[in-house]
């Protein structure tokens, strides 16, 4: 703590400390910074499908009393995305005339001109959706990647002295867009395993009882039934809907086959030359908004002089590869306006990273086509401070 962006101690400098535990649980959420390293170090994903993710963007609104319907739930699939791109929405009417609305875009999309943020803003313009928000007030904004690979992509859960929990492992049920219950269950199972191990005077070994308990749990059964949803929807809206209907409705998730993920999300992006730019409409400031005004109501804050938490393996790649080949996709997949290409004094291009805007969604770490962007944990206390989300 208390290191400036040049790596030198400030007046707030504090020495770090080592915490030695018999077992350490990692529950950082989707694409955890430490979980990612542990999976690589211990090869926990060996023999598994590539993990796949989606980006969820959400707003909280206060709407007019006459359009509020407490308890109303609306889910949609597709529009405004094209039929080849996986995505859908959720809309929940809460108490006190509040409505939570969001849009989820699968990060395996191919078109580098897609902007998940702009797709969400455009979604709200549909007549059946905008009727809820006209003359309303937007209260909060946020974004977060979700781990959507399911059972086929679930890594080995344990390693010497530790375990992966929740979305750090990937327990989300993508067909329901629900993961809180599964995260809690993973915590219960791992805690039981650790308790038994510690009472037996064990430490720093593998908690095999945790994955064994998962294999016999209702959570395994639930994820098994939902295992084909995400691979099916990756086939496109029409084909995917047909496959999901057969798998989830007709066969109740008990199909005698298992579909698989074949590529990581960053491998799916295609060169910009194959596509046309998408002419997204300008925000009106009433129903649709820009990124910066959205970040403002996420209450995001980072100390100005802290070390960069958005790092590049090679500072040249954003221009020589991403901008040249993919038309700079980081300027569009980021829902917080962190990445923008600007001109140097000599007329050349460079990538400007506005790290203070970062809402910690992890999309850049996931979708960057060369995996050149590495998200690292910022100094404590920085990031979004969501209210009512």
């Amino acid at each position: 703590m208390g290191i400036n962006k040049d790596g030198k101690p400030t007046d707030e400098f504090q020495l770090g400390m080592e915490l030695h535990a018999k077992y350490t649980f990692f529950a950082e959420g989707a694409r955890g910074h430490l979980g990612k390293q542990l999976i690589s170090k211990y090869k926990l994903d060996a023999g598994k499908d590539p993990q796949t993710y989606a980006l969820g963007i959400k707003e909280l609104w206060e709407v007019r009393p006459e359009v509020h319907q407490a308890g109303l739930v609306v889910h949609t699939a597709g529009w405004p995305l094209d039929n080849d791109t996986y995505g859908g929405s959720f809309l929940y009417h809460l108490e006190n005339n509040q409505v939570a609305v969001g849009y989820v875009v699968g990060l395996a999309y191919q078109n580098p001109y897609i902007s998940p943020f702009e797709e969400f803003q455009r979604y709200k313009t549909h007549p059946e959706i905008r009727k809820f928000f006209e003359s309303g007030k937007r209260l909060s904004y946020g974004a977060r990647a979700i781990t959507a690979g399911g059972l086929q992509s679930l890594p080995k859960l344990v390693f010497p002295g530790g375990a992966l929990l929740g979305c750090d492992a990937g327990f989300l049920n993508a067909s329901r867009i629900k993961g809180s219950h599964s995260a809690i269950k993973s915590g219960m199972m791992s805690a039981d395993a650790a308790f038994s191990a510690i009472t037996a005077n064990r430490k720093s070994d593998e908690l095999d009882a945790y994955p064994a308990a998962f294999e016999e749990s209702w959570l395994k059964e639930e994820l098994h039934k939902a295992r084909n949803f995400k691979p099916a929807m990756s086939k496109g809206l029409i084909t995917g809907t047909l496959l999901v209907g057969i798998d989830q409705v007709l066969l109740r998730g008990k199909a005698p086959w298992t579909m698989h993920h074949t590529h990581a999300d960053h491998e799916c992006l295609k060169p910009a030359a194959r596509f046309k730019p998408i002419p997204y409409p300008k925000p009106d400031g009433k129903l649709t908004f820009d990124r910066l005004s959205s970040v403002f109501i996420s209450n995001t804050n980072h100390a100005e002089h802290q070390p960069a938490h958005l790092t590049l393996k090679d500072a040249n790649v954003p221009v020589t590869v991403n901008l040249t080949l993919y038309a700079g996709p980081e300027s569009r997949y980021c829902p917080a306006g962190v990445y923008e290409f600007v001109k140097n004094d000599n007329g050349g291009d460079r990538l400007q990273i506005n790290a203070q805007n970062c809402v910690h969604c992890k999309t850049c770490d996931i979708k960057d086509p060369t995996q050149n962007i590495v998200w690292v944990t910022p100094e404590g206390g920085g990031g979004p401070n969501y209210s009512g989300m």
Side-chain angles (χ1 to χ4, degrees):
M1 295 288 291
I3 298 292
N4 66 21
K5 61 183 179 181
D6 298 319
K8 297 179 180 179
T10 68
D11 294 339
E12 299 175 347
F13 175 74
Q14 296 181 33
L15 284 172
M17 62 179 70
E18 292 186 6
L19 298 176
H20 296 268
K22 294 180 179 180
Y23 300 99
T24 303
F25 294 163
F26 294 83
E28 308 164 280
R31 193 70 165 197
H33 172 57
L34 297 177
K36 173 185 170 183
Q37 296 177 63
L38 289 165
I39 291 171
S40 176
K41 176 180 175 63
Y42 292 104
K43 297 179 172 58
L44 302 180
D45 56 353
K48 307 291 185 177
D49 286 6
Q51 188 58 266
T52 185
Y53 300 85
L55 173 61
I57 304 175
K58 178 181 176 182
E59 293 176 350
L60 181 67
W61 283 70
E62 182 179 344
V63 301
R64 291 171 290 130
E66 58 267 30
V67 299
H68 185 257
Q69 303 174 46
L72 177 66
V73 173
V74 179
H75 284 157
T76 70
W79 192 89
L81 288 169
D82 62 79
N83 288 343
D84 294 328
T85 304
Y86 168 76
S89 73
F90 59 88
L91 188 150
Y92 305 140
H93 283 239
L94 311 175
E95 298 176 337
N96 302 317
N97 297 327
Q98 292 187 349
V99 174
V101 59
Y103 201 82
V104 177
V105 177
L107 291 178
Y109 63 80
Q110 298 182 2
N111 185 349
Y113 289 114
I114 285 177
S115 166
F117 177 86
E118 305 289 356
E119 296 291 345
F120 173 43
Q121 298 305 314
R122 189 160 61 168
Y123 155 78
K124 290 183 294 179
T125 66
H126 191 285
E128 290 300 312
I129 303 301
R130 73 180 302 145
K131 67 183 182 182
F132 293 117
F133 301 110
E134 288 179 327
S135 300
K137 180 182 179 182
R138 192 174 66 148
L139 303 176
S140 299
Y141 168 85
R144 188 68 169 92
I146 60 176
T147 312
L151 195 61
Q152 300 91 309
S153 302
L154 197 66
K156 182 181 178 182
L157 301 175
V158 295
F159 48 90
L164 298 175
L165 277 60
C167 282
D168 221 350
F171 283 112
L172 179 99
N173 182 339
S175 68
R176 297 174 57 198
I177 329 177
K178 297 291 185 291
S180 296
H181 68 302
S182 56
I184 292 170
K185 181 62 175 177
S186 70
M188 294 168 64
M189 293 185 293
S190 56
D192 287 340
F195 180 81
S196 297
I198 291 172
T199 54
N201 293 319
R202 291 166 47 198
K203 65 177 182 178
S204 302
D205 57 3
E206 292 192 4
L207 294 170
D208 294 328
Y210 169 31
F214 169 68
E215 290 296 326
E216 300 299 322
S217 70
W218 57 260
L219 179 55
K220 168 66 181 298
E221 181 180 359
E222 178 181 321
L223 295 183
H224 180 76
K225 289 182 178 179
R227 71 195 185 281
N228 288 329
F229 174 82
K230 189 63 165 61
M233 292 306 297
S234 69
K235 306 293 184 184
L237 181 63
I238 297 174
T239 302
T241 301
L242 177 62
L243 292 173
V244 167
I246 295 172
D247 184 82
Q248 297 291 298
V249 180
L250 182 62
L251 299 177
R252 303 288 182 181
K254 298 180 180 179
W257 61 80
T258 295
M259 302 176 68
H260 290 277
H261 309 289
T262 57
H263 296 283
D265 294 334
H266 71 273
E267 298 173 332
C268 296
L269 211 61
K270 302 299 182 185
R274 301 187 185 183
F275 304 90
K276 294 181 179 180
I278 301 174
Y280 290 112
K282 292 183 178 181
D284 60 18
K286 298 178 181 179
L287 177 67
T288 60
F289 301 88
D290 61 18
R291 287 174 172 82
L292 294 185
S293 65
S294 300
V295 171
F296 179 77
I297 60 171
S298 72
N299 298 313
T300 295
N301 181 62
H302 296 88
E304 183 179 357
H305 298 295
Q306 69 174 247
H309 72 277
L310 299 168
T311 64
L312 302 175
K313 296 177 183 177
D314 185 335
N316 295 313
V317 165
V319 172
T320 60
V321 178
N322 289 11
L323 184 60
T324 302
L325 189 58
Y326 301 105
E330 52 268 69
S331 65
R332 288 178 290 276
Y333 60 58
C334 174
V338 169
Y339 301 97
E340 60 178 324
F341 288 91
V342 298
K343 294 292 184 181
N344 291 318
D345 292 339
N346 63 6
D349 295 293
R350 67 178 177 87
L351 178 66
Q352 178 169 294
I353 301 178
N354 305 307
Q356 70 274 14
N357 291 356
C358 180
V359 294
H360 299 187
C361 73
K362 308 292 186 67
T363 302
C364 57
D365 193 280
I366 296 165
K367 189 60 177 173
D368 181 50
T370 62
Q371 294 294 274
N372 186 55
I373 299 174
V374 180
W375 190 100
V376 301
T377 306
E379 191 173 277
N385 185 15
Y386 296 133
S387 175
M389 293 284 279

